[in-house]
Amino acid sequence: MRRTIERLESFGPAAIVIASNAPSVMVLDDLKDWSPTPIIGVFPPVRRALETSVTKRIAVLGVASLISSSEIRGYVARESAGQGNVDLVSASDLVELVENGKFLTDPETTLAAVRAKLVTLHPDTDVATLSSTHLPWLLRYFEQAGPRLRFLDPADDIVAAVGSYTTPGSGAFRTLVSEGEGYDLADFQRMLVRLGLDLIIERV
């Protein structure tokens, strides 16, 4: 994360948004102390979920590294203040459906996987947070598979935080993309086309 922040700081940003729940929960405090640039994280909206919940039973869906961490347990304890039940649920398998693009090319498999995940939730659960950058891309599947549930996107909470660092005007996107085994730029570009996004990719 420090290497990533250093690269982003080279562009002279007014602020940096870590649009991922896991590093926001697990390392953001250390990064804030280390970087001169304001850093904004995105966090599971546990408090908002409990305020919304009728049953006071909610689920936080995220990647396994987040769900199994001591940091998320401490965060949940602070945010819930004992006012309800919060279940931590690994959804790394669903994240993979976004990573590999199957949520676009194989809707039947995606819907089946989402349904299988929701079946594992406590029957009293009525609100779930989609606490991975990837999971909100599956919102239509979640809503179809769990019509009685309400799903919250953590990114909604960072709009106000970012606003104080912005000014009126215009800007441009720079799309910096890294490659890994099984995830190359060509596949990513094809996914962008399917999503209707016209972005110029820069390999990093």
Side-chain angles (χ1 to χ4, degrees):
M1 285 302 301
R2 285 186 174 181
R3 289 194 299 270
T4 299
I5 295 299
E6 286 176 343
R7 177 180 287 273
L8 294 175
E9 284 179 333
S10 70
F11 297 106
I16 295 172
V17 176
I18 299 179
S20 179
N21 290 254
S24 294
V25 171
M26 298 169 71
V27 300
L28 181 60
D29 287 342
D30 291 336
L31 291 173
K32 281 183 174 179
D33 294 338
W34 168 80
S35 173
T37 304
I39 301 178
I40 302 165
V42 56
F43 296 87
V46 170
R47 189 176 304 177
R48 178 158 61 99
L50 285 171
E51 291 171 351
T52 303
S53 173
V54 174
T55 64
K56 301 304 176 187
R57 184 114 203 178
I58 69 168
V60 173
L61 278 63
V63 295
S65 60
L66 172 66
I67 296 305
S68 63
S69 71
S70 59
E71 289 86 356
I72 188 61
R73 291 192 293 274
Y75 172 80
V76 166
R78 292 191 299 274
E79 290 295 299
S80 64
Q83 299 303 305
N85 296 293
V86 181
D87 299 316
L88 301 174
V89 181
S90 173
S92 287
D93 52 336
L94 301 185
V95 168
E96 180 63 20
L97 294 171
V98 179
E99 288 275 2
N100 61 26
K102 278 194 174 181
F103 79 111
L104 294 171
T105 61
D106 193 347
E108 290 185 2
T109 296
T110 302
L111 180 59
V114 171
R115 279 181 172 150
K117 184 64 59 179
L118 294 184
V119 166
T120 69
L121 303 185
H122 190 283
D124 291 339
T125 303
D126 63 348
V127 181
T129 77
L130 304 181
S131 295
S132 164
T133 310
H134 300 71
L135 294 179
W137 288 102
L138 303 179
L139 179 59
R140 67 186 178 95
Y141 294 105
F142 279 108
E143 291 178 335
Q144 184 176 348
R148 70 176 187 83
L149 298 173
R150 181 175 181 184
F151 301 97
L152 302 184
D153 184 349
D156 292 341
D157 292 342
I158 67 172
V159 175
V162 172
S164 62
Y165 297 100
T166 62
T167 57
S170 62
F173 285 101
R174 292 194 66 172
T175 308
L176 310 177
V177 180
S178 59
E179 292 182 285
E181 185 176 351
Y183 301 97
D184 59 35
L185 293 188
D187 289 336
F188 186 72
Q189 185 67 68
R190 283 190 287 271
M191 191 182 302
L192 291 180
V193 170
R194 284 180 172 272
L195 292 171
L197 299 175
D198 184 17
L199 299 173
I200 298 174
I201 294 175
E202 299 177 50
R203 180 188 282 109
V204 296

